[in-house]
Amino acid sequence: MELAPTQDWIDVTTSSISPTALIEWATRPECGAVVTFCGTVRRTSTTHDNVEALEYETDEAMARQRMAQIVATVRRRWPLTEAVALHHRIGRVELGETAVVVAVSSPHRQEAFEAAQFCIDTLKASVPLWKREIWAEGSAWSGDAKAMTEVPK
């Protein structure tokens, strides 16, 4: 997939997410750092040791709006940041598959690390995503849910 080198790439999708595609997209000649975070489905949770999949639900319009707010805050706090990508899957995501990817590029590593960590931490706290854990014997909404917060300015 060939994309024009824009500054921001926000996506909420039922399709698989390619961390490699996001790294390639975020790589820019003026940037010496590309930091990525990939969240994958793991076998254990706080309540089960046999998770087979997760199922995510969201209000897509609100999720995209909150993700755009996160990027806007990144741009204010780390103005040298070049590319910022926030992608999250919805629907069923199998064990070992990627559920979320953050990719940030900047001229220097410190800004890229800080901005990427801010992105994933803020996404988890402020984007309306609901997670159902699925195991062989049944399923349940994750007990890790917390009250959603506003995106910091």
Side-chain angles (χ1 to χ4, degrees):
M1 169 189 324
E2 185 84 22
L3 292 173
T6 60
Q7 300 299 102
D8 307 327
W9 190 8
I10 294 168
D11 199 15
V12 177
T13 181
T14 57
S15 302
S16 295
I17 301 172
S18 170
T20 302
L22 290 171
I23 291 167
E24 289 172 0
W25 172 84
T27 301
R28 309 293 167 91
E30 57 278 355
C31 295
V34 177
V35 172
T36 57
F37 170 83
C38 299
T40 59
V41 177
R42 67 178 180 266
R43 185 175 313 283
T44 61
S45 71
T46 55
T47 57
H48 289 89
D49 291 331
N50 57 346
V51 173
E52 295 178 355
L54 298 176
E55 189 173 271
Y56 291 93
E57 290 184 11
T58 191
D59 173 319
E60 286 187 54
M62 183 178 225
R64 289 174 192 277
Q65 177 187 35
R66 289 288 177 103
M67 292 163 87
Q69 291 172 353
I70 293 168
V71 173
T73 300
V74 165
R75 300 244 171 257
R76 280 191 299 278
R77 290 186 179 185
W78 297 277
L80 296 179
T81 301
E82 183 65 25
V84 180
L86 302 177
H87 286 209
H88 206 295
R89 283 207 38 203
I90 55 174
R92 187 176 171 113
V93 185
E94 300 296 329
L95 185 66
E97 289 185 331
T98 302
V100 60
V101 176
V102 170
V104 176
S105 64
S106 71
H108 306 286
R109 68 181 175 270
Q110 187 68 33
E111 293 88 355
F113 274 117
E114 290 174 4
Q117 182 168 5
F118 175 83
C119 284
I120 190 59
D121 290 348
T122 308
L123 186 149
K124 296 277 289 176
S126 65
V127 176
L129 288 154
W130 298 277
K131 177 174 70 174
R132 178 183 292 276
E133 297 174 353
I134 301 167
W135 57 94
E137 301 81 30
S139 67
W141 291 106
S142 173
D144 295 334
K146 296 179 178 72
M148 195 169 60
T149 63
E150 293 298 318
V151 175
K153 297 289 183 206

